[in-house]
Short mmCIF file of all heavy atoms in Angstrom, two decimals:
data_model
loop_
_atom_site.label_atom_id
_atom_site.label_comp_id
_atom_site.label_asym_id
_atom_site.label_seq_id
_atom_site.Cartn_x
_atom_site.Cartn_y
_atom_site.Cartn_z
N GLY A 256 0.84 -1.17 0.02
CA GLY A 256 -0.02 0.03 0.02
C GLY A 256 0.86 1.28 -0.02
O GLY A 256 2.02 1.23 -0.37
N LEU A 257 0.32 2.34 0.37
CA LEU A 257 1.06 3.59 0.53
C LEU A 257 2.01 3.60 1.67
O LEU A 257 1.56 3.37 2.77
CB LEU A 257 0.14 4.82 0.54
CG LEU A 257 -0.63 5.26 -0.71
CD1 LEU A 257 -1.47 6.48 -0.37
CD2 LEU A 257 0.42 5.61 -1.79
N GLU A 258 3.30 3.86 1.52
CA GLU A 258 4.22 3.71 2.56
C GLU A 258 4.02 4.86 3.52
O GLU A 258 3.88 6.14 3.07
CB GLU A 258 5.62 3.70 2.05
CG GLU A 258 6.68 3.60 3.12
CD GLU A 258 8.15 3.63 2.60
OE1 GLU A 258 8.38 4.47 1.71
OE2 GLU A 258 8.93 2.88 3.05
N ALA A 259 4.00 4.58 4.81
CA ALA A 259 3.87 5.62 5.87
C ALA A 259 5.05 5.33 6.85
O ALA A 259 5.19 4.22 7.37
CB ALA A 259 2.55 5.54 6.50
N LYS A 260 5.84 6.32 7.08
CA LYS A 260 6.95 6.17 8.07
C LYS A 260 6.72 7.21 9.21
O LYS A 260 6.39 8.38 8.94
CB LYS A 260 8.29 6.50 7.32
CG LYS A 260 8.68 5.55 6.38
CD LYS A 260 9.99 5.95 5.73
CE LYS A 260 10.56 4.90 4.69
NZ LYS A 260 11.85 5.28 4.11
N ILE A 261 6.93 6.71 10.44
CA ILE A 261 6.83 7.57 11.60
C ILE A 261 7.99 7.31 12.51
O ILE A 261 8.37 6.14 12.75
CB ILE A 261 5.55 7.17 12.40
CG1 ILE A 261 4.30 7.44 11.62
CG2 ILE A 261 5.47 8.00 13.66
CD1 ILE A 261 3.02 6.98 12.30
N ALA A 262 8.69 8.40 12.78
CA ALA A 262 9.86 8.31 13.72
C ALA A 262 9.64 9.33 14.82
O ALA A 262 9.24 10.49 14.51
CB ALA A 262 11.18 8.57 12.97
N SER A 263 9.85 8.92 16.09
CA SER A 263 9.67 9.90 17.07
C SER A 263 10.73 9.69 18.21
O SER A 263 11.29 8.55 18.41
CB SER A 263 8.34 9.67 17.78
OG SER A 263 8.14 8.53 18.53
N LEU A 264 11.06 10.73 18.96
CA LEU A 264 11.93 10.78 20.08
C LEU A 264 11.22 11.48 21.15
O LEU A 264 10.71 12.53 21.10
CB LEU A 264 13.25 11.56 19.72
CG LEU A 264 14.17 11.85 20.88
CD1 LEU A 264 14.75 10.61 21.46
CD2 LEU A 264 15.27 12.85 20.45
N ASN A 265 11.18 10.78 22.31
CA ASN A 265 10.39 11.23 23.54
C ASN A 265 11.45 11.33 24.68
O ASN A 265 12.01 10.28 25.08
CB ASN A 265 9.26 10.40 23.90
CG ASN A 265 8.27 11.09 24.70
OD1 ASN A 265 8.59 11.98 25.56
ND2 ASN A 265 6.95 10.83 24.50
N LEU A 266 11.73 12.50 25.18
CA LEU A 266 12.70 12.74 26.26
C LEU A 266 11.88 13.14 27.54
O LEU A 266 11.01 13.98 27.51
CB LEU A 266 13.71 13.74 25.86
CG LEU A 266 14.63 13.50 24.66
CD1 LEU A 266 15.57 14.57 24.38
CD2 LEU A 266 15.35 12.21 24.80
N LEU A 267 12.40 12.67 28.73
CA LEU A 267 11.71 12.98 29.90
C LEU A 267 12.68 13.21 31.12
O LEU A 267 13.69 12.42 31.18
CB LEU A 267 10.75 11.79 30.30
CG LEU A 267 10.15 11.83 31.71
CD1 LEU A 267 9.16 12.98 31.86
CD2 LEU A 267 9.55 10.47 32.11
N LEU A 268 12.45 14.26 31.80
CA LEU A 268 13.07 14.43 33.12
C LEU A 268 11.98 14.50 34.10
O LEU A 268 11.17 15.43 34.07
CB LEU A 268 13.94 15.76 33.06
CG LEU A 268 14.82 16.00 34.31
CD1 LEU A 268 15.99 16.89 34.00
CD2 LEU A 268 13.98 16.71 35.49
N SER A 269 12.07 13.55 35.10
CA SER A 269 10.98 13.56 36.13
C SER A 269 11.60 13.59 37.52
O SER A 269 12.54 12.80 37.87
CB SER A 269 10.13 12.29 35.96
OG SER A 269 9.15 12.16 36.93
N TYR A 270 11.12 14.55 38.34
CA TYR A 270 11.66 14.66 39.69
C TYR A 270 10.52 14.60 40.74
O TYR A 270 9.46 15.24 40.54
CB TYR A 270 12.38 15.99 39.85
CG TYR A 270 13.05 16.18 41.23
CD1 TYR A 270 14.28 15.48 41.47
CD2 TYR A 270 12.49 16.99 42.18
CE1 TYR A 270 14.82 15.59 42.80
CE2 TYR A 270 13.02 17.15 43.38
CZ TYR A 270 14.19 16.45 43.71
OH TYR A 270 14.82 16.53 44.98
N GLU A 271 10.72 13.70 41.74
CA GLU A 271 9.71 13.53 42.76
C GLU A 271 9.95 14.61 43.84
O GLU A 271 10.95 14.53 44.59
CB GLU A 271 9.80 12.18 43.34
CG GLU A 271 8.72 11.77 44.31
CD GLU A 271 8.80 10.49 44.89
OE1 GLU A 271 9.91 9.86 44.82
OE2 GLU A 271 7.79 9.91 45.42
N ILE A 272 9.06 15.56 43.84
CA ILE A 272 9.16 16.75 44.73
C ILE A 272 8.87 16.28 46.18
O ILE A 272 9.64 16.56 47.17
CB ILE A 272 8.31 17.88 44.41
CG1 ILE A 272 8.55 18.30 42.97
CG2 ILE A 272 8.45 19.02 45.31
CD1 ILE A 272 7.52 19.33 42.39
N LYS A 273 7.70 15.66 46.35
CA LYS A 273 7.26 15.05 47.64
C LYS A 273 6.82 13.65 47.24
O LYS A 273 6.77 13.26 46.08
CB LYS A 273 6.13 15.92 48.25
CG LYS A 273 6.55 17.23 48.66
CD LYS A 273 7.43 17.33 49.91
CE LYS A 273 6.58 17.06 51.08
NZ LYS A 273 7.38 17.25 52.36
N TYR A 274 6.27 12.95 48.29
CA TYR A 274 5.94 11.58 48.06
C TYR A 274 4.84 11.47 46.97
O TYR A 274 3.71 12.02 47.11
CB TYR A 274 5.45 10.99 49.36
CG TYR A 274 5.50 9.45 49.38
CD1 TYR A 274 6.55 8.73 49.78
CD2 TYR A 274 4.34 8.69 48.89
CE1 TYR A 274 6.56 7.33 49.79
CE2 TYR A 274 4.40 7.34 48.84
CZ TYR A 274 5.42 6.68 49.30
OH TYR A 274 5.44 5.26 49.25
N HIS A 275 5.16 10.88 45.85
CA HIS A 275 4.22 10.64 44.67
C HIS A 275 3.79 11.94 44.05
O HIS A 275 2.73 11.97 43.48
CB HIS A 275 3.02 9.80 45.12
CG HIS A 275 3.41 8.37 45.32
ND1 HIS A 275 4.44 7.74 44.79
CD2 HIS A 275 2.70 7.39 46.04
CE1 HIS A 275 4.45 6.48 45.13
NE2 HIS A 275 3.41 6.21 45.96
N LEU A 276 4.55 13.06 44.32
CA LEU A 276 4.21 14.29 43.63
C LEU A 276 5.44 14.59 42.69
O LEU A 276 6.55 14.81 43.23
CB LEU A 276 4.00 15.44 44.72
CG LEU A 276 3.84 16.92 44.11
CD1 LEU A 276 2.59 16.92 43.28
CD2 LEU A 276 3.82 17.87 45.27
N TYR A 277 5.16 14.61 41.43
CA TYR A 277 6.29 14.72 40.44
C TYR A 277 6.12 15.99 39.60
O TYR A 277 5.08 16.43 39.30
CB TYR A 277 6.20 13.47 39.51
CG TYR A 277 6.35 12.17 40.11
CD1 TYR A 277 5.26 11.49 40.59
CD2 TYR A 277 7.55 11.59 40.38
CE1 TYR A 277 5.30 10.26 41.25
CE2 TYR A 277 7.78 10.30 40.91
CZ TYR A 277 6.62 9.69 41.41
OH TYR A 277 6.75 8.42 41.99
N LEU A 278 7.34 16.46 39.23
CA LEU A 278 7.50 17.61 38.25
C LEU A 278 8.13 16.89 37.02
O LEU A 278 9.23 16.41 37.09
CB LEU A 278 8.34 18.69 38.74
CG LEU A 278 8.60 19.79 37.83
CD1 LEU A 278 7.23 20.57 37.54
CD2 LEU A 278 9.62 20.79 38.34
N ASP A 279 7.43 16.94 35.90
CA ASP A 279 7.92 16.31 34.63
C ASP A 279 8.16 17.37 33.57
O ASP A 279 7.38 18.24 33.31
CB ASP A 279 6.78 15.40 34.08
CG ASP A 279 6.51 14.21 34.96
OD1 ASP A 279 7.37 13.83 35.75
OD2 ASP A 279 5.41 13.70 34.86
N LEU A 280 9.32 17.32 33.04
CA LEU A 280 9.71 18.07 31.81
C LEU A 280 9.85 17.12 30.64
O LEU A 280 10.68 16.19 30.76
CB LEU A 280 10.99 18.83 32.15
CG LEU A 280 11.04 19.82 33.27
CD1 LEU A 280 12.40 20.50 33.40
CD2 LEU A 280 10.02 20.94 32.99
#
């Protein structure tokens, strides 16, 4: 069929401020 290409990069920085409270960039 028609060729479809998908490329992705996902970067994460996650810091736990308090118990189970996270700041995600």
Side-chain angles (χ1 to χ4, degrees):
L257 283 180
E258 183 182 41
K260 293 181 179 179
I261 300 173
S263 71
L264 170 66
N265 201 325
L266 301 177
L267 169 70
L268 185 154
S269 182
Y270 183 75
E271 187 179 20
I272 304 170
K273 297 286 285 185
Y274 199 92
H275 289 337
L276 176 64
Y277 299 89
L278 179 66
D279 297 335
L280 300 175

